[in-house]
């Protein structure tokens, strides 16, 4: 109890790590804190009130929007717009980037890219979902509407990123480039409280996470790596354990805590895989590197990819560094083979 620190207190404390901090980023993070609590409240009611299931619309990627996708998107958008620290957002649920038109918003220096409710098809069956966010300094001049180029920056330029996991407990995990910190929500006091300071990826893990139903379509190097994970080798603690929730945030969170690798590869018919570079892979890759892990598309560091489109997809391999290195060994032996 004597050590209890809320997310709000921690953010202010950490602000002094940045000598010229103006408090704008802290204010932005506190609007994410607020929106996360609201989404937590709504998710906890799922099943009791009519908020599960499809909303009847599709997003730009042709995926059916769930009611909670729409609700989470509206909640984060409103929270970010209200604090005047953000000049625009890009979201999985918005076709185009949204430039906020308020005068104070246009003077703001940050843009936010967000997947408001990742893994939302899991909601209907009471499985964990998440929110993923990424924050950049704008490139366009302040005082004008945000432009597309503000959103199409490589992940190395992120000022901060994080996720909220709505699981057996709700947690918010974030980094501003000085380590990764996790906060668990205590509903009785309505605050996220510091529970995981300076989270580190174990260098080697023993869990692999992949949708193995697609095995037949995977690149040959990935198939060989999966077989390697399943081989018996007492010294190397193989076979590894297979765990796949189908919610990126949840699969990633478990692997971060325990050590492991998450794979969402290309297939012959989907050469860019499924996951989106800007609001799924980049923020997770930023946290991963901050925690001492690795994130690649099989060849390049995710964070160095120069984005071309808002909803661009990319193959994604993320986790414990030794596991990613071993995977790369297999991929290099079979370039371009399926
Ligand atoms: P979504 O943004 O439409 O929810 O899709 C992203 C989700 C990730 O959370 C998860 O890792 C992946 O899709 C699972 O895909 P699949 O069902 O193909 O295994
Ligand atoms: Mg998503």
């Amino acid at each position: 109890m004597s050590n209890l620190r809320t997310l709000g207190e921690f953010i202010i404390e950490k602000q002094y790590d940045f000598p010229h901090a103006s408090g704008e980023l802290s204010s932005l993070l506190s609007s994410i804190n607020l929106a996360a609590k609201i989404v937590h409240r709504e998710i906890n009611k799922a099943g009791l009130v009519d908020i599960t299931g499809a909303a009847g619309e599709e997003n730009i990627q042709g995926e059916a929007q769930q009611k909670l996708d729409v609700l989470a998107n509206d909640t984060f958008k409103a929270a970010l717009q209200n604090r005047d620290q953000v000049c625009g957002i890009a979201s999985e649920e918005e076709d185009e980037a949204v430039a906020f038109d308020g005068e104070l918003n246009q003077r703001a220096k940050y843009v936010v890219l967000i997947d408001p409710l990742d893994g939302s098809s899991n909601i209907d069956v009471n499985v964990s979902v998440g929110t993923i966010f990424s924050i950049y300094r704008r490139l366009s001049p302040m005082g004008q509407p945000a432009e597309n180029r503000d959103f199409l920056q490589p992940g190395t330029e992120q000022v901060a990123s994080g996720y909220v996991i709505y699981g057996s407990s709700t947690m918010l995990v974030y980094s501003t480039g000085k380590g990764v910190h996790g906060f668990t929500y205590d509903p009785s006091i309505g605050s996220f409280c510091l529970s995981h300071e300076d989270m580190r990826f174990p260098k080697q893990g023993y869990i692999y996470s992949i949708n193995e139903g697609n095995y037949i379509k995977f690149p040959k190097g990935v198939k060989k790596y999966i077989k390697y994970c399943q081989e018996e080798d007492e010294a190397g603690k193989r076979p590894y354990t297979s765990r796949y929730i189908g919610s990126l945030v949840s699969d990633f969170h478990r692997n971060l805590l325990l050590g492991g690798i998450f794979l969402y590869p290309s297939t012959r018919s989907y050469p860019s895989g499924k996951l989106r570079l800007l609001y799924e892979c980049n923020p997770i890759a930023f946290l991963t590197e901050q925690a001492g892990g690795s994130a690649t598309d099989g060849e390049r560091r995710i964070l160095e990819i120069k984005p071309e489109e808002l909803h661009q997809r990319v193959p994604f391999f993320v986790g414990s560094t030794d596991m990613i290195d071993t995977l790369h060994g297999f991929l290099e032996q079979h370039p371009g083979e399926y």
Side-chain angles (χ1 to χ4, degrees), residues 189-244:
I189 58 169
S191 297
F192 284 98
C193 299
L194 182 63
S195 53
H196 297 65
E197 191 165 5
D198 201 13
M199 300 168 83
R200 304 294 301 166
F201 239 114
K203 197 163 173 290
Q204 172 66 42
Y206 305 100
I207 296 173
Y208 71 102
S209 318
I210 187 165
N211 185 344
E212 247 173 294
N214 294 327
Y215 181 87
I216 205 79
K217 305 184 211 165
F218 289 151
K220 194 159 179 191
V222 173
K223 286 182 182 149
K224 294 263 181 192
Y225 180 70
I226 294 174
K227 287 295 159 215
Y228 165 86
C229 293
Q230 297 171 342
E231 268 164 26
E232 269 191 287
D233 168 31
E234 215 170 308
K237 296 197 188 159
R238 284 179 292 141
Y240 297 155
T241 293
S242 165
R243 288 282 181 275
Y244 190 73

Side-chain angles (χ1 to χ4, degrees), residues 59 61 63-64 69 92-93 115 117-122 132 210-211 214 244-251 262 264 274-276 279-280:
N59 65 18
Q61 296 144 84
E63 298 157 343
D69 280 326
E92 179 172 333
E93 305 306 332
D115 183 351
L117 207 64
D118 187 59
S120 54
S121 58
N122 279 324
I132 313 174
I210 187 165
N211 185 344
N214 294 327
Y244 190 73
I245 297 168
S247 244
L248 173 63
V249 171
S250 315
D251 280 307
F262 173 92
Y264 210 108
K274 172 181 183 188
L275 298 178
R276 273 56 54 119
Y279 42 78
E280 292 176 330

Side-chain angles (χ1 to χ4, degrees), residues 19-164:
H20 303 295
S22 59
E24 287 156 290
L25 181 61
S26 303
S27 168
L28 196 173
L29 288 168
S30 74
S31 57
I32 291 177
N33 178 3
L34 173 64
K37 289 182 201 175
I38 296 173
V39 172
H40 159 91
R41 184 190 67 200
E42 296 308 313
I43 285 177
N44 271 305
K45 290 191 286 197
L48 289 175
V49 290
D50 183 28
I51 47 171
T52 55
E57 301 286 327
E58 284 189 349
N59 65 18
I60 192 162
Q61 296 144 84
E63 298 157 343
Q65 283 182 315
Q66 306 291 308
K67 286 180 201 158
L68 276 166
D69 280 326
V70 177
L71 186 142
N73 189 52
D74 291 348
T75 304
F76 276 96
K77 194 161 124 185
L80 291 167
Q81 188 162 15
N82 284 341
R83 292 284 168 96
D84 301 324
Q85 311 304 350
V86 174
C87 60
I89 64 157
S91 161
E92 179 172 333
E93 305 306 332
E94 305 275 350
D95 298 0
E96 310 281 345
V98 180
F100 293 147
D101 51 14
E103 197 187 320
L104 290 175
N105 291 113
Q106 293 196 1
R107 274 197 245 146
K109 65 172 175 235
Y110 293 111
V111 292
V112 174
L113 293 93
I114 189 159
D115 183 351
L117 207 64
D118 187 59
S120 54
S121 58
N122 279 324
I123 281 278
D124 293 0
V125 289
N126 214 339
V127 169
S128 310
V129 290
T131 295
I132 313 174
F133 62 90
S134 168
I135 303 171
Y136 292 82
R137 253 178 228 100
R138 73 189 299 175
L139 298 173
S140 59
M142 292 207 271
Q144 295 177 22
E147 296 172 16
N148 249 358
R149 62 182 163 132
D150 298 326
F151 300 93
L152 297 179
Q153 302 186 50
T156 46
E157 299 307 307
Q158 285 172 102
V159 172
S161 82
Y163 60 80
V164 186

